[in-house]
Amino acid sequence: YVTLILCILLILRMQHKKLENWDGLMGSLTQEDLGQNGTAAWLSVPSSEIVAYTQGWQRYFYNAWLAERIPLHRSLPDYRDPRCLKYNYHEDTSRELSPASIVVVFRNEQVMVLLRTLTSLVARTPRYLFKELILVDDCSDWGPWSDDQSVRFLDAYIRRYIYPKARIFHLQEQVGLIRARRYAAAVATGFYLVFLDAHVEVTNGWLLPLLAECLNGVGVATPVLDRLDEQTLAYHRVQERRDIFDWSLRRHVVPLKRNQTRELPQPYELPFIRTSVFAINTKWFQMILDIDGGLLGFGGAELQLSLAAWQTGARIVRVPCSRVGHLEPRSQDYLSRYGNLRKLGNIQNRVSLGIRKKMIPLLVHISFIFQNLKRILEIWVDIPDMKSIFYQYLPHLKTVSPGDLRMARKWFAKCDCESFGVFAYLVMPELLQTAPRHRTALAYGRIQSLGSSSKCLTIDKKSKRIDLKPCKTRSRTQNWTFTFSRNLQINGNLCAEVAPNLSLRTNNCHYLGGSQEWQYDPGHHYLISNNKCLEFNSELRLFFAPCKKSNKRQRWFFRHPN
């Protein structure tokens, strides 16, 4: 028996040593020098791994096969302005700052990418700046997340090898990003909340500048989001920019104002925030959530936080001395990890959200993306003329019920919020400088091929399949609308989209982008979706391929462009 016990202890010790140097839960795949200092990683894919490589792209829409082979503890470059290192807040504010609660909300995240996020957080964040690490799993159900034993092993791995005091919550029902953040805010004990996406890598000195701005009275502080390349995982520095939105509520990235450029690397004001990473006072964030607790899913979260911050008298700033690498695939279909996009556009189920042991049932039988936007417009845009312009650009919201707004409007009045007009004039004048065109579409009518001038995109009434057929005058099966939401829409609520096999098909519109989001290049007459051009072959079959200037079969024009 003594020998048996010694053998067991020896095996456990060897397993501990193995795990200590392990870079993942699925095996020792990583290569020590790969991707170090944020450089591009290149590996040849062996024939035996081609299926795994392809499946990684199909599931995550980035090079997931390579992501498994880059070490968790990889080094990153320091792209901060040298003047950032001379700022005094490193000494002046560290004694005054209350520690933050760091929150990572995720769903169906690739395990290796999540672990690299957590590893970079713990390795590059001084302990006195945060008191807890909260992980909220919004009911993941893919791959290893669908196996209870794998999930328990992951929890144990995080607590043993990354952060012993990590607080990990696995929600039993999918509640969406907005309510998952609400849950985290309810259980957090820190004076500040710092939210991060689960697919980021933080750099040295990232957190202190954010908390220093919060200490100085700023409502929301966000870092510069550098880019992690979806193919090579390389860390790319991006130039400082501002985010705004237009009358169709679409986000645009624009240059800084002249005075902001001159004052870099000082923080600068931001009309519209990307919520991939941001720091905020805990009580103030809970107050914003109380103004409107009716938002569901993830649609509209950035718009609601932006308007709430400015109209309640706070400010949003971007802090150039804080830089975080963000992995965001170009294809918006990566959102499918949060669930089927078509189902997300029209969910019908009962969800429950647990907050401090209290279960709050919510009956959801709505298109919550539309309802969120409708609620935001009805609560925060108090100028009737401006609200009517938004609806001109978003006509599908006119018939959407916003739900019960009585409590939200009471909170709005109680908080003595500023008018949307003040926000538009003082914070984001670009909106008013864009003359409304009073049109509901970018183009409409027939979509005709320049490679076969007598043929138009045509939908079959029964099968809903899209083919190239002879053009007809006033045919409802050829009357397309290119909306301000960048959808190619026909027959009410049918949208053209890219199928997984790169063919063209129709489906119910979900207005979440991805395979239903289109761009039109008027110079080359390209119809582009998922970074590929619509084309047809000799048999008139429609498919998507890389854009080529010499290919006449990729050229299209609208009968009535706006």
Side-chain angles (χ1 to χ4, degrees):
Y1 290 108
V2 174
T3 304
L4 177 61
I5 292 173
L6 289 175
C7 288
I8 293 174
L9 290 175
L10 181 61
I11 292 172
L12 290 175
R13 178 62 177 170
M14 292 172 64
Q15 183 69 9
H16 170 75
K17 285 296 183 183
K18 184 180 178 182
L19 280 173
E20 207 164 29
N21 297 310
W22 206 11
D23 261 343
L25 298 178
M26 309 310 292
S28 184
L29 300 175
T30 60
Q31 300 185 22
E32 185 177 354
D33 297 328
L34 198 63
Q36 291 297 341
N37 201 36
T39 56
W42 300 97
L43 278 181
S44 297
V45 182
S47 57
S48 60
E49 294 288 332
I50 290 177
V51 173
Y53 174 84
T54 304
Q55 289 177 343
W57 274 100
Q58 291 174 342
R59 171 160 288 188
Y60 298 106
F61 299 92
Y62 60 80
N63 195 343
W65 181 86
L66 179 64
E68 287 183 340
R69 287 153 176 81
I70 294 178
L72 294 181
H73 300 270
R74 75 158 172 170
S75 58
L76 293 177
D78 190 344
Y79 283 132
R80 289 176 292 177
D81 188 298
R83 289 171 288 182
C84 294
L85 303 179
K86 300 178 182 178
Y87 286 164
N88 292 326
Y89 53 63
H90 291 273
E91 290 81 24
D92 295 342
T93 63
S94 61
R95 292 186 300 273
E96 303 173 16
L97 280 172
S98 299
S101 295
I102 296 179
V103 179
V104 177
V105 176
F106 66 93
R107 174 175 165 80
N108 292 323
E109 200 71 39
Q110 186 186 10
V111 170
M112 196 64 176
V113 169
L114 174 63
L115 292 178
R116 193 178 296 112
T117 295
L118 301 179
T119 300
S120 74
L121 272 175
V122 174
R124 300 188 178 106
T125 308
R127 292 294 189 272
Y128 70 89
L129 292 180
F130 75 103
K131 66 181 301 184
E132 60 185 351
L133 174 62
I134 299 174
L135 307 181
V136 181
D137 168 19
D138 189 15
C139 194
S140 296
D141 54 8
W142 279 1
W145 300 108
S146 62
D147 180 66
D148 291 341
Q149 185 174 352
S150 296
V151 172
R152 287 194 297 269
F153 186 51
L154 172 62
D155 292 352
Y157 180 90
I158 291 172
R159 294 190 176 105
R160 177 65 182 87
Y161 297 103
I162 297 181
Y163 190 67
K165 297 181 180 179
R167 303 176 64 192
I168 306 174
F169 301 91
H170 297 283
L171 303 185
Q172 298 305 306
E173 300 275 357
Q174 183 185 359
V175 299
L177 176 63
I178 296 172
R179 292 185 178 271
R181 284 177 176 167
R182 176 188 288 269
Y183 179 89
V187 301
T189 60
F191 189 79
Y192 300 105
L193 290 169
V194 182
F195 289 98
L196 300 98
D197 281 355
H199 34 274
V200 301
E201 292 181 58
V202 304
T203 62
N204 289 328
W206 74 281
L207 183 55
L208 183 57
L210 299 181
L211 297 183
E213 289 301 313
C214 291
L215 182 67
N216 292 333
V218 168
V220 189
T222 185
V224 174
L225 290 177
D226 291 324
R227 183 171 64 88
L228 297 178
D229 189 271
E230 62 180 16
Q231 176 67 52
T232 67
L233 277 295
Y235 190 108
H236 295 291
R237 188 186 194 278
V238 303
Q239 194 171 359
E240 289 79 2
R241 290 285 189 266
R242 296 168 63 242
D243 296 276
I244 63 173
F245 61 87
D246 62 16
W247 292 108
S248 61
L249 299 181
R250 294 181 63 86
R251 182 175 64 87
H252 296 275
V253 180
V254 298
L256 299 184
K257 297 177 180 178
R258 290 183 180 179
N259 65 306
Q260 292 175 331
T261 302
R262 287 195 303 266
E263 294 171 0
L264 287 175
Q266 292 288 342
Y268 56 89
E269 291 185 347
L270 205 62
F272 187 53
I273 186 174
R274 295 188 63 190
T275 58
S276 303
V277 183
F278 68 97
I280 190 170
N281 179 281
T282 301
K283 290 184 178 180
W284 188 74
F285 183 68
Q286 291 171 334
M287 183 270 288
I288 289 178
L289 295 176
D290 287 338
I291 292 179
D292 184 15
L295 300 185
L296 301 171
F298 58 85
E302 296 178 338
L303 180 64
Q304 191 253 6
L305 180 60
S306 301
L307 295 181
W310 285 107
Q311 291 184 244
T312 56
R315 296 163 55 229
I316 301 173
V317 299
R318 177 164 286 157
V319 187
C321 289
S322 172
R323 307 192 78 95
V324 175
H326 184 231
L327 177 58
E328 182 178 21
R330 286 177 293 176
S331 171
Q332 292 298 297
D333 275 355
Y334 80 91
L335 294 171
S336 61
R337 72 183 61 172
Y338 301 108
N340 184 290
L341 294 186
R342 287 176 291 280
K343 291 181 180 178
L344 284 174
N346 188 16
I347 271 190
Q348 181 179 358
N349 66 356
R350 184 178 293 272
V351 298
S352 299
L353 174 63
I355 299 182
R356 296 191 186 279
K357 300 182 180 179
K358 181 179 179 181
M359 301 304 292
I360 305 176
L362 298 163
L363 182 61
V364 185
H365 185 193
I366 51 174
S367 177
F368 64 68
I369 303 296
F370 298 165
Q371 190 196 42
N372 286 356
L373 295 177
K374 182 70 174 269
R375 292 182 70 89
I376 292 169
L377 290 177
E378 290 297 321
I379 293 169
W380 297 101
V381 183
D382 57 336
I383 309 295
D385 290 344
M386 290 184 173
K387 188 183 298 182
S388 67
I389 296 174
F390 282 115
Y391 285 134
Q392 288 172 5
Y393 280 76
L394 299 164
H396 55 279
L397 294 185
K398 292 180 180 179
T399 57
V400 173
S401 170
D404 191 347
L405 297 175
R406 289 175 294 179
M407 289 300 298
R409 284 174 170 158
K410 285 182 180 179
W411 272 103
F412 184 86
K414 181 180 178 180
C415 293
D416 194 25
C417 297
E418 290 184 343
S419 169
F420 180 81
V422 175
F423 166 79
Y425 279 103
L426 299 182
V427 181
M428 199 175 70
E430 293 90 346
L431 183 67
L432 301 178
Q433 294 166 4
T434 304
R437 289 177 286 182
H438 301 288
R439 294 167 176 165
T440 59
L442 296 170
Y444 63 95
R446 298 195 302 269
I447 302 177
Q448 194 166 342
S449 168
L450 290 177
S452 180
S453 58
S454 63
K455 299 292 193 299
C456 291
L457 292 185
T458 308
I459 184 172
D460 185 89
K461 291 181 179 179
K462 294 183 179 180
S463 67
K464 308 303 180 185
R465 193 178 71 180
I466 304 176
D467 296 300
L468 267 182
K469 296 288 183 66
C471 299
K472 298 179 181 179
T473 304
R474 297 180 180 178
S475 171
R476 295 185 63 184
T477 60
Q478 296 177 347
N479 187 21
W480 295 88
T481 301
F482 186 26
T483 71
F484 281 110
S485 300
R486 299 299 192 273
N487 291 336
L488 273 182
Q489 197 166 329
I490 195 168
N491 290 356
N493 199 39
L494 281 179
C495 282
E497 70 176 18
V498 185
N501 63 355
L502 295 182
S503 64
L504 181 66
R505 68 183 184 188
T506 60
N507 222 317
N508 293 331
C509 301
H510 53 63
Y511 299 96
L512 297 175
S515 59
Q516 290 189 0
E517 183 170 347
W518 293 79
Q519 291 84 39
Y520 182 65
D521 182 341
H524 298 96
H525 301 285
Y526 293 150
L527 267 174
I528 305 171
S529 185
N530 282 30
N531 303 305
K532 289 182 172 58
C533 281
L534 180 63
E535 182 181 338
F536 65 94
N537 60 17
S538 58
E539 299 175 351
L540 301 184
R541 184 178 65 84
L542 294 160
F543 63 97
F544 289 84
C547 302
K548 295 182 180 179
K549 293 181 181 179
S550 59
N551 192 341
K552 292 184 178 180
R553 291 180 176 179
Q554 292 183 346
R555 298 183 181 181
W556 310 85
F557 72 91
F558 287 91
R559 178 66 176 173
H560 300 289
N562 284 340

